[in-house]
Amino acid sequence: MSAHAAYRTLRLLLAVVLIAAVPHKLLDPAGFALAIARYDLLPTAMVNTVALILPWVEVLLAALLVSDVLMGPTLWLTNLLFAGFTAAIGIAMARGLDIDCGCFSAGTTGSMILALVRDLVFLLLGLILALLYTRAIAPSRAPAEVIEEPAAWSAPGNEPSASEQNAS
Amino acid sequence: MRPSTRTLGQAVLIVGVAALLAFFFNRWRPAPLAWVRSEAFVPAAMTSTAQEKMPSSEPEALPGEKSAATFPSDPTAPPAPSDAPTVSPAPSPAEAPPEGTTPAAPPAEEIPAAETLPPLPPESTSSQIPPSPGQEGPYEDPAPSLRLLADGKTELPLIGVAEALQLHLSGNAIFLDARDPDTYAQGHIPGALCVPPTDLDRLWPQLAPLLEGKTIVTYCDGEACPLSRELAEALHVRGLMTPIVVFGNGWSLWQSEHLPVTTGANP
């Protein structure tokens, strides 16, 4: 699988994951706020704000992932989001809480360990995608957009030839 | 892999757009969620199980004790001390849930009530005792402070979501939804009847027998919603001997605690 194909697959996969997590949060913000509150991590005053904004961040990130624009900030935010979710679940587990993770549909009372592993996988996929982007995709794009990043690894121009090889 | 300032700026922009979208979407929703939550949540265990651990007298006991403490030096106020023992003398603040679902309003509202307390004749307390001889379960006498309602000039007590939930579970309360029928049909507390204050006269003949011997809980939606209070006062002036309480901002609080709701028109 060429870097570009993997990149596209992962983008769409993560977009689907993000979108799948959105509907119940948008339709039942009060329930989602309660789910957040049960983690007991945020100050009470912030719980509702986060519950209201978070689903829209996910919607925007999914849209940006699909449309493949502003990928730098999108990937940073996506990975930050998954890292945050993973950390929240990890902390809750460490405290011995057994709560509805609030990840996907409300009321899915899967085990916390499952949610943790799932989020770790998403985080891993997001990191792979970010790596693919910075090392293979961005260098092949217009250099004006990413000046500082391609220098880290290889000379620009490697990737297109590699993908051409694969394609042929 | 450090993000450049440009990347950071774009990330902030994305979050900002999301916040904007969230703001408009929340405004567009029929029942918007408050952006900043002031009241703590009922812990998960309380909404699902183990409600019996909730101290039922907690919201009333506090104002009751406060009113007794307000007039310690007043020799003409014997009813206050006599009232205190009935206010389940347990140290309820100690066993109260730390979230303290007690709304901030009651203490302030009970101060005027306390002023009317001294002249309150003893028969008003005795008239309130009958309703609960054989009650089952953990539910106790709904609210000692409610007996003040027999007096015409007292404020109707406000209750929080924890007490509303307990009244609901006790089966000894009837919930009256003061909002309009359309809103009611979209969702309401299970078992609640739709009684807008303006329709009370029309509905009264059917309603009156249902209220017999039950604690009446009125609610509407929103911090400043006047309907539940209007309904409670309209019921109060009809001279009902049953306790009437107002579940302030009831619908929003009920929903935000993820408690069961039902839809459909008035039964």
Side-chain angles (χ1 to χ4, degrees), chain A:
Chain A
M1 190 190 280
S2 76
H4 279 80
Y7 173 70
R8 192 194 309 125
T9 311
L10 278 178
R11 265 193 308 123
L12 297 181
L13 189 70
L14 285 180
V16 167
V17 166
L18 284 172
I19 279 294
V22 159
H24 84 278
K25 297 175 186 168
L26 277 188
L27 295 178
D28 182 17
F32 182 47
L34 190 60
I36 296 176
R38 285 183 180 146
Y39 280 93
D40 201 14
L41 286 173
L42 291 174
T44 304
M46 275 182 63
V47 165
N48 280 12
T49 313
V50 170
L52 286 166
I53 294 180
L54 198 61
W56 285 105
V57 173
E58 292 181 355
V59 167
L60 282 183
L61 289 182
L64 291 170
L65 278 172
V66 168
S67 52
D68 197 8
V69 291
L70 287 181
M71 283 310 278
T74 300
L75 286 171
W76 269 101
L77 280 177
T78 307
N79 285 325
L80 210 64
L81 210 62
F82 284 132
F85 291 159
T86 311
I89 296 174
I91 292 172
M93 279 182 69
R95 286 170 165 181
L97 293 177
D98 185 16
I99 51 181
D100 171 20
C101 90
C103 312
F104 291 95
S105 65
T108 44
T109 47
S111 67
M112 293 285 282
I113 187 87
L114 185 77
L116 185 72
V117 169
R118 197 175 48 195
D119 271 357
L120 272 175
V121 169
F122 294 153
L123 179 61
L124 197 70
L125 292 180
L127 288 176
I128 292 172
L129 184 59
L131 222 62
L132 271 176
Y133 175 74
T134 50
R135 302 206 166 172
I137 306 299
S140 69
R141 296 244 169 110
E145 200 185 20
V146 276
I147 290 168
E148 71 282 349
E149 277 157 340
W153 190 57
S154 62
N158 263 7
E159 273 23 83
S161 63
S163 59
E164 276 162 22
Q165 273 180 356
N166 281 350
S168 60

Side-chain angles (χ1 to χ4, degrees), chain B residues 42 46-47 50-60 95 97 101 135-143 159-175 189 215 217 245 247 254 259:
Chain B
V42 176
M46 196 173 282
T47 54
Q51 278 92 356
E52 63 270 12
K53 286 163 85 174
M54 234 157 53
S56 70
S57 58
E58 183 235 338
E60 293 81 24
E95 62 177 332
T101 48
Q135 272 176 23
E136 74 291 351
Y139 182 64
E140 298 163 2
D141 184 31
I159 60 169
V161 68
E163 207 197 352
L165 176 62
Q166 190 173 23
L167 282 166
H168 194 264
L169 292 169
S170 77
N172 203 39
I174 184 156
F175 280 63
I189 296 176
T215 301
V217 183
V245 295
F247 179 15
W254 190 268
L259 294 167

Side-chain angles (χ1 to χ4, degrees), chain B residues 143-199:
Chain B
S145 71
L146 296 182
R147 64 185 47 136
L148 297 176
L149 291 174
D151 180 56
K153 288 171 278 297
T154 48
E155 282 278 319
L156 296 161
L158 265 179
I159 60 169
V161 68
E163 207 197 352
L165 176 62
Q166 190 173 23
L167 282 166
H168 194 264
L169 292 169
S170 77
N172 203 39
I174 184 156
F175 280 63
L176 300 183
D177 191 319
R179 301 169 304 161
D180 65 279
D182 285 343
T183 321
Y184 170 89
Q186 284 169 18
H188 54 266
I189 296 176
L193 300 173
C194 176
V195 187
T198 48
D199 288 358

Side-chain angles (χ1 to χ4, degrees), chain B residues 20-265:
Chain B
L20 216 63
L21 282 169
F23 175 74
F24 285 113
F25 181 72
N26 193 43
R27 269 185 48 163
W28 170 79
R29 277 168 53 83
L33 189 68
W35 277 85
V36 175
R37 189 178 185 90
S38 53
E39 190 182 354
F41 286 84
V42 176
M46 196 173 282
T47 54
S48 53
T49 55
Q51 278 92 356
E52 63 270 12
K53 286 163 85 174
M54 234 157 53
S56 70
S57 58
E58 183 235 338
E60 293 81 24
L62 284 176
E65 284 162 9
K66 193 166 279 186
S67 71
T70 316
F71 305 102
S73 60
D74 190 354
T76 67
S82 79
D83 190 33
T86 65
V87 181
S88 68
S92 53
E95 62 177 332
E99 288 77 15
T101 48
T102 317
E109 293 203 350
E110 291 296 325
I111 301 301
E115 280 164 7
T116 64
L117 193 57
L120 203 63
E123 83 269 10
S124 71
T125 54
S126 62
S127 69
Q128 285 292 324
I129 290 171
S132 57
Q135 272 176 23
E136 74 291 351
Y139 182 64
E140 298 163 2
D141 184 31
S145 71
L146 296 182
R147 64 185 47 136
L148 297 176
L149 291 174
D151 180 56
K153 288 171 278 297
T154 48
E155 282 278 319
L156 296 161
L158 265 179
I159 60 169
V161 68
E163 207 197 352
L165 176 62
Q166 190 173 23
L167 282 166
H168 194 264
L169 292 169
S170 77
N172 203 39
I174 184 156
F175 280 63
L176 300 183
D177 191 319
R179 301 169 304 161
D180 65 279
D182 285 343
T183 321
Y184 170 89
Q186 284 169 18
H188 54 266
I189 296 176
L193 300 173
C194 176
V195 187
T198 48
D199 288 358
L200 181 60
D201 288 336
R202 185 173 61 79
L203 295 169
W204 182 248
Q206 309 152 46
L207 194 62
L210 300 173
L211 306 180
E212 205 79 22
K214 301 227 179 187
T215 301
I216 299 170
V217 183
T218 67
Y219 71 91
C220 53
D221 193 12
E223 299 275 358
C225 171
L227 294 174
S228 55
R229 188 160 285 283
E230 282 171 21
L231 177 63
E233 278 161 7
L235 286 165
H236 184 49
V237 297
R238 285 173 187 270
L240 286 175
M241 289 312 290
T242 48
I244 306 171
V245 295
V246 178
F247 179 15
N249 195 15
W251 178 240
S252 297
L253 291 179
W254 190 268
Q255 276 190 309
S256 54
E257 299 306 348
H258 228 202
L259 294 167
V261 300
T262 51
T263 56

